[in-house]
Amino acid sequence: MTDWGVVLPLGLALFAGAFVQSSVGFGMALVAAPFVVVFAPDLMPGALLVTSFSLPVVQLVHAPADIAWRPLGIALGGRALLTPVGVAVVALMSVQAISVLVGALVLLSVAASVWAIEVRVSDRNAAVAGGLAGISGTAASIGGPFLALVLQHERPTRVRATLAAFFLGGSVLAVAGLLVAGQFTGAQLRAGLTWLPFMALGYAAAGPLRERLDRGRLRLAVLWFCTVAGASVVLRALLG
């Protein structure tokens, strides 16, 4: 049964996540997942995958189609190959273990951004990023940071458009895999659909500010926020 007293307030986390992703290209699940896994772990990862499918559609319709097609195709191939591993993680791991996985992925993503790992666009790097996203994106709905690192030296419009297309294709693969394995529930679908208006409002709020935001300050704020959220999720899971 869906607990609307929990689902509706969690929409605020989706609003914040959509605002961030609309501004820098990724981050919706990174911002929202720690809250969902703490307050409604039974909705992971399906409910977030519903929103991860929807926001890229809006982005691709309203933004320039400046897509890096070759890295995108290779990354989606890698994601398709390892999506079954992500499905197995969801089926076999406990809620506590998935909570630790979510928190660890958030912290890993922050560390990679802070250390500014030097990664260039190549077929191998795109395939590795896609494969990692096949596991983490399916199990925890967090798959964007890996390909974002590969694309970090591309122009912002290309990063946003390529990641949006990657999220769209990856979410379809993940939901299909979870459905086949019986790991996608009606409650997850209802929650994800309920969060769509919050997501749309976050995207709309970022629109007028997208080109005027101080990206350095926004990035720093997101990193600090995600560090605290990720660490809190891990500690709560380990101590609980």
Side-chain angles (χ1 to χ4, degrees), residues 11-106:
L12 297 176
L14 270 297
F15 172 89
F19 182 93
V20 170
Q21 181 161 317
S22 300
S23 304
V24 300
F26 73 99
M28 184 166 68
L30 202 63
V31 171
F35 290 95
V36 178
V37 81
V38 167
F39 295 106
D42 56 309
L43 298 180
M44 287 291 292
L48 279 183
L49 286 170
V50 173
T51 59
S52 295
F53 170 84
S54 305
L55 180 57
V57 173
V58 177
Q59 289 177 292
L60 290 171
V61 168
H62 291 91
D66 185 13
I67 296 173
W69 289 105
R70 183 176 177 84
L72 171 64
I74 293 172
L76 283 174
R79 181 157 187 170
L81 189 64
L82 291 185
T83 289
V85 179
V87 173
V89 168
V90 175
L92 299 176
M93 290 178 66
S94 66
V95 170
Q96 183 183 32
I98 291 178
S99 297
V100 172
L101 174 63
V102 169
L105 283 171
V106 170

Side-chain angles (χ1 to χ4, degrees), residues 64-210:
D66 185 13
I67 296 173
W69 289 105
R70 183 176 177 84
L72 171 64
I74 293 172
L76 283 174
R79 181 157 187 170
L81 189 64
L82 291 185
T83 289
V85 179
V87 173
V89 168
V90 175
L92 299 176
M93 290 178 66
S94 66
V95 170
Q96 183 183 32
I98 291 178
S99 297
V100 172
L101 174 63
V102 169
L105 283 171
V106 170
L107 295 176
L108 178 63
S109 301
V110 170
S113 298
V114 170
W115 291 335
I117 297 173
E118 187 65 20
V119 178
R120 296 283 178 176
V121 176
S122 70
D123 292 353
R124 181 191 63 184
N125 289 338
V128 170
L132 291 173
I135 301 172
S136 66
T138 305
S141 193
I142 298 174
F146 308 113
L147 188 57
L149 277 175
V150 174
L151 299 171
Q152 63 183 299
H153 297 293
E154 299 291 320
R155 53 186 176 272
T157 54
R158 173 159 287 194
V159 172
R160 286 196 293 265
T162 305
L163 286 176
F166 181 67
F167 291 144
L168 179 58
S171 297
V172 171
L173 288 170
V175 170
L178 292 171
L179 277 171
V180 169
Q183 298 297 319
F184 187 81
T185 67
Q188 292 174 350
L189 176 61
R190 289 190 294 273
L193 293 175
T194 300
W195 290 336
L196 292 185
F198 294 93
M199 179 210 73
L201 288 172
Y203 177 83
L209 303 175
R210 193 171 293 120

Side-chain angles (χ1 to χ4, degrees), residues 222-240:
V222 170
L223 292 177
W224 273 109
F225 175 83
C226 289
T227 299
V228 173
S232 299
V233 169
V234 172
L235 287 175
R236 181 187 176 100
L238 294 178
L239 295 176

